[in-house]
């Protein structure tokens, strides 16, 4: 949370970059937000072609209409992240009801919890407006106010303790306190119940949006343009925000990719490498079927019985 370093990084990137992915964690009206706004506006005045993807910090989404000038006054070039307040309301409902399905359906509880709820925030993140909004969301879905602490000694370990992210959760664990819920991310999956953003996916998608933008600008083909239509300026995507409370899987999760890839294709070699990297938590089965529909069908039938998830390409024309 060193705004001077952030401003310096923006200034330096403005002179040499084609695109910038950045986070703006500071609250509206703060001196830090104002300093970052000035740096961004100065950069777009010097280099109007430079692309800006906002990531992670949904509280800064409205900067485009509130304070950014020039090309970005109409909106960021893209956004990847979670809506922190909404995430908090779901965490609060989980704390009160223990019912994940009810929580994610939008049926917030607004009920009195059977066990008092406390929220733990990492002291070093007390300037993060998004995380503070998450704490507000928790309290919006329960009747009895849940206090937020930054000192582990202030907590009552027998209460229902919500850690606002992996940093807070790890600090609690180091102090001998096991959080009831990690509200923020999936970084302790397998150890704690959690609800929040898939961290790896969020970073992957932020970079992917930037790549799509730059590809469209540099290419006259249609492929990159088709990608770009999903990330038009001003769109607010919440991809990377879906999660679930942890339950130990009975067997490794599997994902099957069924494609019309040709074994000798450089395109599909690159595609497969990226897909396998992104599927880091899965056991991967990959099919390169070419244009053999019978093999495609057989692969789908096999995957239907064996897989937790399937990615499929369907290259054939309608009516065929």
């Amino acid at each position: 949370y060193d705004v001077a370093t952030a401003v310096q990084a923006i200034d330096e990137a403005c002179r040499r970059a084609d695109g910038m992915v950045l986070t703006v964690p500071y609250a509206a009206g703060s001196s830090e937000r104002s300093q970052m706004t000035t740096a961004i506006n100065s950069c777009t005045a010097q280099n109007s072609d430079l692309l800006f993807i906002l990531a992670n910090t949904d509280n800064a989404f409205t900067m485009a209409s509130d304070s950014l000038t020039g090309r970005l006054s109409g909106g960021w070039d893209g956004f990847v992240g979670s809506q922190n307040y909404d995430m908090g309301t779901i965490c609060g409902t989980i704390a009160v009801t223990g019912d994940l399905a009810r929580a994610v359906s939008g049926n917030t509880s607004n009920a009195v919890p059977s066990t008092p709820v406390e929220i733990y925030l990492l002291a070093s993140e007390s300037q993060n407006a998004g995380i503070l909004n998450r704490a507000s969301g928790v309290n919006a879905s329960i009747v009895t106010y849940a206090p937020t602490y930054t000192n582990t000694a202030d907590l009552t370990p027998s209460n229902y303790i919500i850690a606002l992210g992996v940093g807070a959760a790890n600090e609690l664990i180091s102090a001998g306190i096991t959080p009831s819920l990690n509200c923020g991310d999936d970084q302790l999956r397998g150890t704690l119940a959690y609800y929040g953003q898939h961290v790896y996916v969020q970073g992957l998608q932020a970079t992917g949006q930037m790549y799509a933008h730059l590809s469209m600008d540099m290419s006259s083909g249609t492929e990159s343009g088709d990608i770009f239509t999903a990330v038009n300026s001003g769109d607010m995507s919440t991809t990377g925000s879906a999660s679930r409370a942890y339950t130990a899987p009975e067997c490794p999760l599997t994902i099957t990719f069924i494609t019309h890839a040709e074994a000798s294709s450089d395109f599909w070699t690159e595609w497969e490498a990226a897909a396998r990297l992104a599927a880091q938590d899965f056991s991967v089965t990959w099919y390169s079927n070419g244009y053999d529909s019978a093999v495609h069908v057989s692969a789908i039938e096999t995957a239907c019985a064996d897989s937790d998830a399937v990615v499929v390409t369907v290259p054939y024309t309608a009516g065929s």
Side-chain angles (χ1 to χ4, degrees):
Y1 297 93
D2 185 338
V3 68
T5 301
V7 167
Q8 181 180 354
I10 292 170
D11 290 343
E12 292 177 355
C14 193
R15 294 192 294 269
R16 56 181 173 77
D18 297 298
M20 200 180 302
V21 177
L22 76 164
T23 65
V24 185
Y26 307 108
S30 66
S31 170
E32 291 85 359
R33 169 80 78 90
S34 177
Q35 290 177 65
M36 291 199 72
T37 298
T38 299
I40 295 167
N41 286 340
S42 175
C43 179
T44 56
Q46 299 171 49
N47 184 357
S48 61
D49 294 329
L50 194 146
L51 299 170
F52 284 85
I53 301 290
L54 177 68
N56 184 262
T57 46
D58 63 312
N59 58 287
F61 190 77
T62 58
M63 281 178 67
S65 58
D66 293 345
S67 54
L68 296 183
T69 59
R71 189 179 61 79
L72 290 183
S73 63
W76 297 97
D77 292 306
F79 171 81
V80 173
S82 302
Q83 293 171 304
N84 277 284
Y85 183 87
D86 292 345
M87 186 193 302
T89 64
I90 292 174
C91 290
T93 302
I94 293 171
V96 174
T97 67
D99 188 341
L100 177 68
R102 175 178 172 179
V104 298
S105 72
N107 184 10
T108 54
S109 61
N110 196 29
V112 178
S114 57
T115 302
V117 177
E118 296 178 331
I119 303 169
Y120 189 70
L121 169 69
L122 201 64
S124 62
E125 293 184 324
S126 58
Q127 293 186 75
N128 191 312
I131 296 179
L132 295 177
N133 284 341
R134 196 182 308 160
S136 297
V138 171
N139 273 301
S141 55
I142 58 179
V143 169
T144 306
Y145 179 74
T148 299
Y149 298 109
T150 58
N151 188 334
T152 58
D154 295 330
L155 295 165
T156 302
S158 59
N159 286 344
Y160 192 104
I161 298 175
I162 298 176
L164 297 179
V166 63
N170 279 330
E171 193 164 276
L172 288 171
I173 293 169
S174 296
I177 301 172
T178 301
S180 305
L181 179 70
N182 174 18
C183 180
D185 57 68
D186 63 347
Q187 292 305 282
L188 290 173
R189 62 190 182 279
T191 301
L192 296 177
Y194 73 90
Y195 184 82
Q197 52 209 347
H198 291 301
V199 176
Y200 179 87
V201 173
Q202 192 177 104
L204 187 72
Q205 291 178 338
T207 307
Q209 278 202 29
M210 182 61 74
Y211 184 81
H213 278 274
L214 293 174
S215 296
M216 189 193 74
D217 287 346
M218 293 184 294
S219 171
S220 59
T222 59
E223 289 291 338
S224 56
D226 291 339
I227 297 169
F228 179 76
T229 59
V231 291
N232 281 334
S233 176
D235 286 354
M236 187 169 184
S237 167
T238 56
T239 50
S241 64
S243 301
R244 60 175 182 153
Y246 174 76
T247 54
E250 297 178 1
C251 57
L253 296 174
T254 63
I255 185 169
T256 300
F257 292 87
I258 302 170
T259 75
H260 62 285
E262 300 284 356
S264 60
S265 167
D266 290 339
F267 173 93
W268 283 106
T269 298
E270 182 77 5
W271 205 100
E272 180 180 355
R276 287 183 179 276
L277 180 63
Q280 59 173 358
D281 290 333
F282 289 84
S283 173
V284 174
T285 300
W286 179 274
Y287 289 91
S288 296
N289 299 327
Y291 292 89
D292 188 330
S293 61
V295 177
H296 238 65
V297 169
S298 176
I300 291 169
E301 291 171 346
T302 299
C304 192
D306 298 340
S307 293
D308 297 290
V310 177
V311 175
V312 63
T313 66
V314 184
Y316 310 107
T317 59
S320 67

